Amino acid sequence: MVSYWKHYHTPETVEEAIAALRGYDGRARVIGGGTDLLVETRRGLRRPFEAIVDASRIAGLNTIERDPQHIVIGCGVTHTQIVNDPNIQRHGACLSESCGVIGGPQVRNAGTLAGNVAHALPAGDGSIGLLALAGEVEITSTAGRRWVAAKDTFVGPGKSVIDRHREVLTRLRFKPTGTGEGSAFHRVMRPQGLCLPIISMAARLTVDGDRIVAANVSMGPVGPVPWFAEPVAQALIGGPATDAQYEKAVDVALSNVTLRTSKYRATEEYRRTMVRTYLPIILATAAERAGAKR
Amino acid sequence: MSRLKMTVNGVAIDIDVPESRYLSEVLREDLRLTGTKIGCAEAECGICTVLVDGIAVVSCVFPAFKAQGARVETIEGLSNNGRLHALQQAFLDHGAVQCGICTPGLIMTAKGLLDTKNAAGEAVTENDIRTALKDSYCRCTGYQSVINAVLQASGEEVAPYIPETGTPGTAVGKPRPNPNACPMPGYFQSTPRLRSASTACTQC
């Protein structure tokens, strides 16, 4: 049996987790379910490392809670927990939908949203769902805790701003959608092989009558990191919730993204067509959920 | 090497294993519970599924020490004193086993679903089963018999599925007479009548 790591730590407090990371000085990896990282390591895409720090059993961080303004998700919360949470289904539909397509049921039972965001893959579905909700992540180090917008945590493919020498992603949060707000997610994929997305997109819209007054759009893989599509959102804000407006948003999206042809997944042209086909549907669904007048 | 303590199929286990082990490796190599099979070894095919604290996980990418202190269930723990578990019996009744390598994973995934639904007091629908088994690959049975077996184990009466076959007695190389075939002697009986083609027989 090949060893991909030597030591396994299951800290019960954040302090213990950080102490373990500091002890290994960058040679340890934090995992939630490990369903991404350990598969990549096993396939030889990543070099073996010294130790694993398992963040899924930290006390108090495996529940979904509400504070006055946010829905807060602990770093030990699995995709299955998110998908089954009635609160998130109603007030963060795109996150529920995005976590519901990750891997298979057994992977969702172990994998965590925190892991998906910290892993920072350009096509991370959970990341794209959270981005559209303008989610934030809490990064804890010995210096304390800080909330960072999820869109600012992605540095490059598989690279996050979180410092593996001394920091742990402890919680994630977003403002739940309320009256006049709605969100939606869709991903295009081939249902065989590693089920990687061809294109994933999510949107959150706030409408007033038939006007879009606020918008967030996210997409991936359209570049090195999951894209928080501000130009697309800007193209929507102030306009009516109509197909013509969505078409304008599609044009803006397509002129801003880098779509690639990948050997087993899809051609650039196909991805382009999928954006054109599905982005309006996602926007219309979000607007409908927001109660937009047509 | 570290102490790994867990309950496997109701038996308390306390063994010294390297911390780098996956759960599938501990089960198969250290505990010799080879009922759990390895398929793709990258969390894709669902063959290696076991239950950890009642939740179905793919043991091939599940670090063993993640199961520290947990209750692990494998296919070996299902039968009781030679009496098969309802799922095992249903798989037999419905012919849901062929080569058998995926069967432990299918049954454990199904057990995870049935246990969760039972605990919540909810009925199991065919859709629930299809969703739960979405990433459990079987290349022999064609899935319908598997789904029927799980439905039966959940308490529903399901007639075994018998796939459609050709009419008995139809030998290979001897096609049944085609009612549209050309009646001219010498023409192959199954050749359709070609009314317009000049190459066809004059009567067509």
Side-chain angles (χ1 to χ4, degrees), chain A residues 1-10 31-35 38-39 41-43 52 54-57 101 103-110 187 189 191-195, chain B residues 18-22 24-26 29-30 41-44 46 49 53 55-58 60-70 105 109 131-137:
Chain A
M1 277 163 275
V2 189
S3 302
Y4 298 97
W5 64 88
K6 289 197 194 101
H7 305 289
Y8 197 92
H9 295 269
T10 318
I31 64 161
T35 48
L38 301 186
V39 170
T41 312
R42 200 168 202 170
R43 294 171 118 200
I52 284 181
D54 182 343
S56 67
R57 291 222 200 158
V101 297
Q106 298 98 319
V107 167
R108 292 197 288 275
N109 281 344
R187 104 166 165 184
M189 58 177 260
Q192 323 107 319
L194 263 176
C195 291
Chain B
E19 293 177 32
S20 60
R21 286 274 207 277
Y22 287 102
S24 59
E25 293 170 342
V26 168
E29 314 286 333
D30 299 306
E42 47 187 56
E44 198 54 44
T49 302
D53 286 332
I55 292 170
V57 298
V58 272
C60 69
V61 295
F62 197 88
F65 279 80
K66 216 175 177 34
Q68 182 77 273
T109 312
T131 310
L133 296 180
K134 183 226 149 208
D135 262 20
S136 295
Y137 291 4

Side-chain angles (χ1 to χ4, degrees), chain B residues 134-158:
Chain B
K134 183 226 149 208
D135 262 20
S136 295
Y137 291 4
C138 172
R139 301 284 92 146
C140 308
T141 62
Y143 300 105
Q144 190 57 52
S145 53
V146 173
I147 290 159
N148 288 351
V150 180
L151 265 177
Q152 181 185 306
S154 76
E156 212 162 296
E157 288 276 323
V158 190

